[in-house]
Amino acid sequence: MYLRQGVTHGDHWFLAGKPGVVYSQDNGRSFTLLDDGFPRAPYQRDTTRLLVRETPAGKELFAATRSGLYYRTGEQAWRRVELPGAGKRAVVDVVATSRHIVAVTHDGIYAAAVPGNAYGEVAISGTGRSRDFTGKTGIRDPSATLPDEREPDYRFTPIHTEVIDNERPSVPWFRIFHDIHNGNIIGPPGKWLLDLLAVGLIFLCISALVIWYVPWRKRRFKRRGRRLDRIFKFCWKYHLKIGIYSVAFLAVLAVTGAFLRPPLLIAVAPHFMDREHPLLALSPRSGDWGGKLQKALYSSASDTILLAAEGGFFQGPGDFSAPFQPFSLPTPVHGMGVTVLEEVEPGQILVGSFTGLYLWEEESGRVRRLPRPGLRGGHPYMSNDLISGVVMADGRPRFRVDYHDGLMPLFHPMGHVIPEMPAAIVRETPMSLWHYLFEFHNGRIFEKWLGMWYMLIIPAVGAGLLLLAVTGIYDWFCRQKKPAGR
């Protein structure tokens, strides 16, 4: 998933992903990194979406990154676009409608009028609303009257959207397990609780090593050390106290973590919970979107916006004049969410996830699968057809990006030459420490040596931590029953 999305216009290539944005003007034979104006930290310049628009002044680019929305034209450096109230929150998608540029964060939507339009038909936050000369409710954007040759001044406004409550989809159990595991099940306080538990677990590990090492050293070398005795007593005392107070939380972390990875994930994947369940009272899952927003699509055929969220899909008018309502997508979508949502041409939508790539005809509802070349096995949930992105060429899909194998032709055989990853780009875009540690956390970093057996690491570690919690409780109770001094 180093590469998430790409756009080509003739010989010009724009590829976006974890390194940021790379550019080629010779049909992929050489690439340069467009990082001037981007944050220096690799984690912050991780780009989930790139919007390339042709304007009279040349190409303009919008980049949705972990550190916000960025904009550039021509040879200018990237500059951060202000989204009122969003701060430096991650922007997950940016799309162009017939009237607006729409930016989407995990929990909000922002819109700015496209220059050349006389009005911006969008309901804004606050009490004041205006009506343009057409009689439609909206806000007049000053940038709409700028001449074409001037650089547009995009001014984004937060959109207050409503969601119709009826028939909202249930929440998958694996999402609930994930929220319990990271503390999000009780909202922001859960994050602090999880950090506190992490510090406690680190102390328990270190103190356990001391408690084991000091007696072993005395038996082996037959000598005592006052300093080691003091350290041993301190570790023994607080290992018991912190352990018994945190043991229930550690057991929950062990169980939920084990069920978040295959093969135990298979056991919880088919099950769902109603959003009105008391367990979700403080969780973001009980909100309108049922979790974080992930992607957006503007359909020019129906003039609607389709939003993909962790809680399902929602569709509403392109001018935000009516509430969004839950929408049932006719294509299979993996539980981890949609990774591709592109309009190929009016009325034809490309939908991709870890269950494959599909072409959906919006009006007729027909769905056609576009399997990876050489794929064996047609079952979408069992075959190795993990789509992490596509590269579009003039509105048509040109390449597919496979989770394991990277850039691949969409069909086989195909006349397009697939460029190799440039060594210079590899050197200039190291993996962020966060992503590196996450590979350790989920055990995936060992896949190179263990193959598919690496998936047993997390269940085994979870079972081990649970066993330590149970035996620790037993040991603590046994010591409480012993007479004093023994």
Side-chain angles (χ1 to χ4, degrees):
M1 292 191 71
Y2 200 63
L3 176 61
R4 300 183 188 273
Q5 183 226 350
V7 178
T8 69
H9 291 274
D11 290 342
H12 298 268
W13 290 43
F14 298 91
L15 304 179
K18 290 181 180 178
V21 180
V22 294
Y23 169 64
S24 172
Q25 56 184 348
D26 53 12
N27 201 25
R29 286 186 288 273
S30 63
F31 285 89
T32 57
L33 184 65
L34 300 181
D35 62 344
D36 47 330
F38 262 0
R40 294 188 61 183
Y43 181 81
Q44 297 295 337
R45 64 171 178 248
D46 184 1
T47 304
T48 55
R49 174 72 174 183
L50 181 67
L51 175 63
V52 182
R53 298 182 70 246
E54 295 283 357
T55 68
K59 289 184 176 65
E60 63 178 14
L61 280 66
F62 288 89
T65 74
R66 286 187 183 269
S67 55
L69 181 66
Y70 287 82
Y71 171 81
R72 71 178 288 158
T73 56
E75 300 297 324
Q76 297 182 359
W78 292 100
R79 74 169 191 270
R80 194 168 172 273
V81 180
E82 182 68 23
L83 300 180
K88 293 186 177 181
R89 295 177 189 167
V91 177
V92 296
D93 211 339
V94 55
V95 297
T97 72
S98 58
R99 295 168 293 271
H100 302 97
I101 303 296
V102 179
V104 181
T105 65
H106 284 305
D107 55 4
I109 304 173
Y110 303 81
V114 174
N117 288 340
Y119 56 87
E121 308 165 25
V122 19
I124 63 172
S125 60
T127 57
R129 288 191 178 185
S130 62
R131 287 190 177 271
D132 58 43
F133 57 85
T134 64
K136 297 183 179 180
T137 303
I139 131 181
R140 193 181 299 274
D141 195 312
S143 67
T145 59
L146 291 176
D148 287 340
E149 63 272 10
R150 290 179 55 187
E151 181 179 332
D153 181 20
Y154 290 100
R155 299 184 183 180
F156 283 81
T157 306
I159 308 298
H160 280 184
T161 56
E162 297 180 358
V163 179
I164 298 176
D165 273 346
N166 61 335
E167 298 182 1
R168 292 193 303 167
S170 302
V171 183
W173 258 107
F174 83 91
R175 292 283 187 192
I176 298 173
F177 273 44
H178 187 270
D179 287 351
I180 296 174
H181 190 70
N182 64 21
N184 205 32
I185 194 71
I186 57 175
K191 301 290 187 180
W192 293 99
L193 175 62
L194 191 72
D195 290 342
L196 187 62
L197 284 174
V199 174
L201 183 57
I202 292 172
F203 174 79
L204 290 175
C205 293
I206 296 174
S207 58
L209 287 173
V210 173
I211 292 171
W212 169 84
Y213 171 74
V214 172
W216 176 84
R217 186 178 184 274
K218 288 180 179 180
R219 290 193 304 268
R220 187 173 181 85
F221 298 101
K222 306 296 182 182
R223 62 171 181 254
R224 302 176 62 87
R226 291 185 178 180
R227 181 177 297 179
L228 282 179
D229 285 344
R230 289 196 296 268
I231 295 175
F232 177 85
K233 290 179 181 179
F234 174 84
C235 290
W236 179 266
K237 177 181 178 180
Y238 287 100
H239 183 91
L240 293 177
K241 288 182 177 294
I242 294 176
I244 197 62
Y245 290 144
S246 63
V247 65
F249 297 102
L250 294 178
V252 170
L253 286 179
V255 172
T256 54
F259 276 95
L260 284 175
R261 297 290 296 169
L264 297 184
L265 177 61
I266 300 174
V268 299
H271 302 290
F272 295 81
M273 176 184 287
D274 291 336
R275 293 191 187 183
E276 290 75 19
H277 194 281
L279 181 64
L280 303 179
L282 301 177
S283 170
R285 306 290 176 194
S286 61
D288 288 337
W289 309 113
K292 297 178 180 178
L293 294 172
Q294 296 176 319
K295 276 196 170 297
L297 167 80
Y298 173 69
S299 171
S300 59
S302 57
D303 191 24
T304 58
I305 290 179
L306 182 65
L307 295 175
E310 291 178 339
F313 292 86
F314 301 85
Q315 190 177 52
D319 59 358
F320 303 100
S321 59
F324 279 69
Q325 54 185 340
F327 182 80
S328 180
L329 207 66
T331 64
V333 175
H334 193 272
M336 295 302 294
V338 66
T339 55
V340 174
L341 204 57
E342 298 273 3
E343 185 179 54
V344 177
E345 59 184 46
Q348 292 192 353
I349 311 299
L350 206 60
V351 182
S353 68
F354 286 174
T355 58
L357 188 63
Y358 297 85
L359 186 63
W360 162 44
E361 295 182 9
E362 192 174 8
E363 184 175 353
S364 65
R366 289 183 296 183
V367 173
R368 182 163 64 97
R369 188 180 183 188
L370 308 176
R372 58 175 283 175
L375 180 68
R376 294 183 179 179
H379 195 285
Y381 293 96
M382 300 298 292
S383 59
N384 185 23
D385 195 5
L386 283 65
I387 293 291
S388 58
V390 293
V391 177
M392 303 292 290
D394 300 321
R396 300 274 180 167
R398 184 174 180 180
F399 298 108
R400 60 196 295 128
V401 185
D402 184 80
Y403 179 83
H404 292 291
D405 300 323
L407 209 59
M408 301 178 67
L410 187 65
F411 303 105
H412 183 77
M414 196 170 186
H416 299 300
V417 176
I418 299 179
E420 294 183 1
M421 183 72 175
I425 298 297
V426 176
R427 289 194 302 268
E428 295 175 23
T429 59
M431 178 182 287
S432 70
L433 181 60
W434 186 94
H435 285 104
Y436 189 74
L437 293 176
F438 186 64
E439 295 297 299
F440 267 106
H441 185 74
N442 58 30
R444 197 160 44 215
I445 200 169
F446 302 103
E447 183 179 7
K448 179 179 179 180
W449 301 280
L450 301 179
M452 296 301 294
W453 292 100
Y454 87 94
M455 291 189 292
L456 297 179
I457 293 178
I458 298 302
V461 171
L465 181 56
L466 182 62
L467 180 64
L468 289 175
V470 173
T471 54
I473 294 176
Y474 177 80
D475 185 58
W476 185 85
F477 272 109
C478 287
R479 292 180 184 279
Q480 298 302 308
K481 293 180 180 180
K482 286 184 177 181
R486 291 187 60 185

